[in-house]
């Protein structure tokens, strides 16, 4: 029996941090065991909001590939590729744009949110409105069965299914209706207790060297009610404790008890976390750095993965053109 097809992507807009890892990548790595996986760097999607400044794209693209691989995505087992090296996505995007009603795009919640939030950029563009249509092309070019994404992406998946349905209705059955794969992910707050996000400046990324990770741990926000070392604490409001849940599973219950009893101080608690966190972080950081020493090697892997993706997407496009009576 052939494996079910998975596809997901990430925009090359910065270094992968622990929030990204536990929110998505950890799952992607695991999915490689049982699915036919495709993971890609969505550089065209980065243009939808970042078209005016593309200077960082080459570096972000290469470092995202390094992040992918350092975290455990394996180019031998998964197709790892770059969107802009697979022109078929653009062709399918164009064809879908012909049959996607404008109101479907205009009522997309991510569209409305971003328009009101990204005030410093002019995103009243055709490309930004078409974002979900491009995403549908990414997914349907491989006839993906499942798309592992966060909840924020569910409206885009809904639109992907609507576009597939409309296409199949108009031209005959070509596309499946891909389902989201909402595997439970582990939530890790940022160093300040809010959601970990680049825009909050509260991330720990795999690009951070060990001494920076140590400093960031020491600066983490703890229970504000603890002023003296012996004050009883409330671990559930503390981001250090949230980290211990992931990095010190054997000790986390003890740590919670000691915190509540006021028998462990925050400095000692953070020192413990430094060691646990670095035992996880350091090998990934080191692998990432090693990979980035050979940029042309990474580029060659991206090119090889993209060639593989192209072969698959080309087969879908041939079928799509045939269904639409194009090119003959
Ligand atoms: N929109 C996704 C994000 O911002 C990235 C993305 C682009 C994607 N195309 C995709 C994700 C296709 C899954 C499938 O995270
Ligand atoms: Fe947080 Fe640990 Fe301090 Fe308790 S002792 S508040 S868990 S850092």
């Amino acid at each position: 029996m052939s494996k079910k097809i998975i596809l997901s992507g990430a925009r090359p807009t910065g270094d992968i941090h622990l929030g990204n890892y536990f929110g998505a990548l950890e799952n992607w790595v695991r999915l490689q065991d049982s699915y036919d996986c495709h993971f890609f760097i969505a550089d065209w999607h980065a243009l939808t909001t970042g078209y005016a400044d593309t200077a960082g794209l080459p570096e972000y693209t290469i470092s995202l590939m390094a992040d992918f691989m350092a975290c455990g995505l394996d180019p031998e087992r998964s197709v790892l590729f770059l969107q802009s090296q697979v022109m078929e996505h653009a062709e399918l995007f164009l064809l879908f744009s012909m049959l996607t009603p404008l109101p479907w795009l205009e009522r997309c919640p991510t569209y409305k949110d971003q328009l009101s939030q990204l005030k410093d950029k002019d995103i009243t563009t055709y490309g930004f409105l078409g974002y979900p249509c491009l995403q549908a092309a990414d997914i349907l070019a491989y006839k993906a069965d499942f798309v592992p994404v966060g909840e924020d992406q569910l409206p885009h998946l809904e639109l992907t299914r609507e576009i597939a349905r409309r296409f199949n209705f108009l031209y005959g059955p070509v596309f499946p209706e891909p389902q989201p794969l909402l595997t439970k992910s582990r939530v890790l707050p940022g160093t300040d207790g809010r959601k970990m996000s680049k825009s909050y400046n509260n991330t720990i990324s795999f690009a951070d060297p060990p001494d920076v990770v140590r400093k960031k741990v020491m600066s983490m926000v703890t229970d504000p009610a603890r002023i003296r070392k012996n004050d009883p604490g409330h671990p559930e409001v503390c981001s250090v404790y949230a980290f211990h849940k992931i990095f010190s599973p054997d000790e986390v219950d003890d740590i919670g008890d000691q915190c509540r009893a006021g028998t462990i101080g925050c400095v000692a608690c953070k020192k413990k976390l430094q060691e646990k966190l670095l035992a996880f972080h350091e090998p990934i950081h080191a692998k990432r750095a090693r990979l980035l020493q050979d940029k042309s090697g990474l580029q060659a892997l991206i090119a090889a993965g993209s060639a593989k993706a192209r072969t698959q997407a080309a087969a879908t496009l041939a079928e799509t053109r045939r269904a639409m009576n194009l090119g003959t």
Side-chain angles (χ1 to χ4, degrees):
M1 217 179 70
S2 65
K3 290 180 183 169
K4 295 278 188 197
I5 299 170
I6 288 231
L7 177 129
S8 200
R11 284 173 293 157
T13 51
D15 299 321
I16 291 287
H17 54 65
L18 294 175
N20 302 136
Y21 179 82
F22 289 104
L25 269 169
E26 184 186 32
N27 276 326
W28 294 7
V29 170
R30 204 172 28 80
L31 292 167
Q32 296 182 111
D33 297 333
S34 25
Y35 294 93
D36 177 3
C37 286
H38 301 69
F39 299 112
F40 75 102
I41 299 169
D43 55 348
W44 282 337
H45 273 98
L47 294 183
T48 59
T49 54
Y51 62 87
D53 182 9
T54 58
L57 274 181
E59 191 193 328
Y60 282 151
T61 297
I62 284 287
S63 65
L64 185 53
M65 182 68 172
D67 271 323
F68 274 0
M69 289 176 58
C71 288
L73 295 185
D74 175 2
E76 300 277 315
R77 288 194 293 159
S78 296
V79 185
L80 306 182
F81 67 96
L82 179 60
Q83 187 180 31
S84 65
Q85 287 189 12
V86 188
M87 302 315 144
E88 283 75 7
H89 290 230
E91 184 181 352
L92 196 54
F93 169 56
L94 175 130
L95 297 176
F96 286 165
S97 76
M98 301 297 166
L99 56 110
T100 305
L102 269 183
W104 290 8
L105 298 169
E106 284 162 346
R107 69 168 183 242
C108 187
T110 51
Y111 177 67
K112 290 188 278 186
D113 286 357
Q114 297 261 65
L115 269 189
S116 62
Q117 277 169 28
L118 286 182
K119 283 284 177 236
D120 55 330
K121 290 179 183 160
D122 180 4
I123 51 169
T124 57
T125 58
Y126 175 53
F128 184 64
L129 178 66
Y131 189 114
C133 198
L134 180 58
Q135 187 160 349
D138 300 334
I139 297 166
L140 294 171
Y142 306 90
K143 300 189 176 183
D145 297 293
F146 298 108
V147 184
V149 283
E151 290 209 22
D152 62 315
Q153 297 292 314
L154 291 182
H156 296 163
L157 267 227
E158 181 66 38
L159 252 163
T160 299
R161 285 192 297 278
E162 281 173 326
I163 291 172
R165 229 175 280 141
R166 187 160 161 89
F167 185 101
N168 294 343
F169 169 75
L170 291 168
Y171 311 108
V174 172
F175 296 108
E177 290 183 23
Q179 299 302 316
L181 198 68
L182 286 169
T183 28
K184 56 173 177 346
S185 57
R186 305 199 270 171
V187 185
L188 196 69
T191 51
D192 60 359
R194 293 187 289 176
K195 179 184 153 74
M196 192 179 282
S197 161
K198 216 172 21 138
S199 48
Y200 292 153
N201 216 345
N202 64 1
T203 63
I204 294 177
S205 83
F206 293 115
D208 291 336
D211 56 319
V212 170
V213 175
R214 283 181 198 279
K215 278 199 202 105
K216 287 186 174 177
V217 170
M218 289 322 281
S219 74
M220 280 173 78
V221 174
T222 63
D223 174 5
R226 284 198 88 186
I227 294 159
R228 273 154 313 197
K229 188 174 156 215
N230 300 337
D231 292 340
H234 309 83
E236 50 295 327
V237 303
C238 172
S239 39
V240 177
Y241 186 72
F243 273 57
H244 273 303
K245 278 193 202 158
I246 288 186
F247 297 108
S248 322
D250 306 337
E251 284 182 70
V252 67
D253 290 342
D254 279 349
I255 291 168
D257 291 344
Q258 290 172 31
C259 173
R260 274 181 283 264
T263 55
I264 185 174
C266 292
V267 172
C269 190
K270 287 175 170 175
K271 290 241 157 87
K272 212 188 260 288
L273 178 61
Q274 283 181 332
E275 300 320 309
K276 299 280 186 178
L277 174 51
L278 279 171
F280 163 80
H281 178 280
E282 219 277 321
I284 297 180
H285 168 74
K287 181 165 181 195
R288 179 186 189 280
R290 194 163 10 91
L291 286 164
L292 280 170
Q293 275 172 3
D294 179 14
K295 294 213 164 92
S296 50
L298 285 169
Q299 264 151 359
L301 286 171
I302 291 175
S306 301
K308 235 186 273 176
R310 218 148 49 221
T311 309
Q312 300 177 345
T316 308
L317 262 295
E319 196 184 343
T320 308
R321 280 184 224 118
R322 226 178 298 123
M324 294 180 83
N325 301 311
L326 290 166
T328 41

